[in-house]
Amino acid sequence: MVCVCAIGESGWFHVYKYVGEHTYGVDHIMGKHKNITVKVIASLILKFFVDNKGPSLNEIEKIIFRELHCRPGYWKYWMASVISKNIVRGMPEHGYAVVSAFSYIFNSLNPRSINSLMVDKEFGRFIYYFMAFGASIRGYAHTRKVIAVDDMHLSDKYEGVLLPVVAQDMQNHIYPLAYCVVDKENNASWGFFFENLKAFVIDEPELCVVSDRHVCIDNSLARHYPLVHHGVCMKHLGENL
C-alpha cells in the first residue's frame, strides 16, 4: 500500500506511507470490481447472441470471469443483459411505434391474413392488436369444432396480456388460430378479441369454446357468440376448487 500527497503545484508527490507486504489475496482481486460498468459487460456479451437469443445470467457470469477475471455481481449481469437485448432486438418503444409497418409487411408476406390495431385516439397509445395468419385461417376448415382460449400475462417493460386461441386438427394436434395482445383482461379487450375472431370462426351451435371461468369471457361470448356451447377447462376448474 502506498499513500502520497501532492506538493503544491510543483507536480511532485510526497510519499508519507508505504507498506511493502501484499495483504490482499486472489479472491479479493477477483471479487466485485467497481470499475467494470454494465456497458462494458453488455459489449462483451453481444457476440454471444444466436438467433436474437442471448446468454443467461449464469452464462454471463462465466463469460465475464473468463474474459476479465472478475465477478461484478448479479445486478450488473442483469442490467448488461437488458442493455444487450435492447441493442440486438430494439427498444420496446420502437416496437410499438412500428406496429403499422409490421402489419403492412405481415399482410404482404401472408396473403389473406387478418390483423387489427386499436390505439388510444387522444394520446395515440397502443391498446389492442389482433393477428391471424392466412394459413391458420384456411386450415381452420379442417379442424374439429372445438377451440380453446386462454390468457398469458406478459412480463416485459409495459406488461400486458396475450390472448391466444387454438383448435385441434384431425390428428389431435394443437392448431394455433390467432393471437391478440391487450393491455389487460376486461369486457372491452375480450370483446375486441372475439369481434375479430368472428371474421373466420363463425358463430354456430356446433362450435364449442373452452376457457377458464373468467367472467369477461362469459360476457363477451354472450355478446359475440350467443350460439356456441361454452365449456370450462378441467385443469383450470381443478385449480380453482
Side-chain angles (χ1 to χ4, degrees), residues 1-98:
M1 180 180 69
V2 179
C3 297
V4 300
C5 63
I7 303 176
E9 298 180 356
S10 64
W12 291 81
F13 293 87
H14 170 65
V15 178
Y16 62 89
K17 186 175 183 180
Y18 170 73
V19 179
E21 182 182 359
H22 185 73
T23 57
Y24 294 119
V26 175
D27 292 338
H28 178 82
I29 297 174
M30 293 185 176
K32 297 181 179 180
H33 200 300
K34 295 182 179 180
N35 293 330
I36 298 178
T37 66
V38 293
K39 291 184 179 179
V40 171
I41 299 174
S43 65
L44 286 174
I45 64 178
L46 280 175
K47 61 183 179 181
F48 294 95
F49 274 75
V50 178
D51 296 331
N52 280 347
K53 184 178 181 181
S56 65
L57 295 182
N58 288 335
E59 292 170 338
I60 293 175
E61 180 182 11
K62 294 177 182 178
I63 292 170
I64 299 306
F65 185 78
R66 184 176 65 248
E67 298 289 335
L68 303 178
H69 305 290
C70 64
R71 294 187 175 92
Y74 177 87
W75 182 84
K76 286 190 175 182
Y77 298 146
W78 180 80
M79 282 300 301
S81 175
V82 173
I83 292 173
S84 59
K85 288 177 182 178
N86 288 339
I87 293 173
V88 174
R89 303 172 184 174
M91 298 290 288
E93 294 84 356
H94 174 73
Y96 284 106
V98 298

Side-chain angles (χ1 to χ4, degrees), residues 31 49 67 75 77 85-87 90 93-94 99 101 114 125 131-133 140 156 188 202 219 238 241:
F49 274 75
E67 298 289 335
W75 182 84
Y77 298 146
K85 288 177 182 178
N86 288 339
I87 293 173
E93 294 84 356
H94 174 73
V99 169
I114 296 175
R125 295 176 180 173
M131 61 180 293
F133 287 90
Y140 171 68
D156 62 356
I202 307 302
N219 296 338
L241 292 178

Side-chain angles (χ1 to χ4, degrees), residues 128-146:
Y128 311 137
Y129 186 76
F130 178 94
M131 61 180 293
F133 287 90
S136 297
I137 296 172
R138 294 189 293 274
Y140 171 68
H142 307 286
T143 62
R144 304 180 189 276
K145 293 294 184 179
V146 179

Side-chain angles (χ1 to χ4, degrees), residues 112-132:
R112 290 184 284 178
S113 297
I114 296 175
N115 56 61
S116 178
L117 171 65
M118 178 178 288
V119 298
D120 185 283
K121 294 182 178 179
E122 182 178 356
F123 300 102
R125 295 176 180 173
F126 174 92
I127 302 179
Y128 311 137
Y129 186 76
F130 178 94
M131 61 180 293

Side-chain angles (χ1 to χ4, degrees), residues 180-197:
C180 187
V181 178
V182 300
D183 55 349
K184 56 187 175 181
E185 280 191 276
N186 53 30
N187 289 332
S189 60
W190 276 109
F192 176 84
F193 174 78
F194 285 119
E195 181 181 2
N196 284 278
L197 188 64

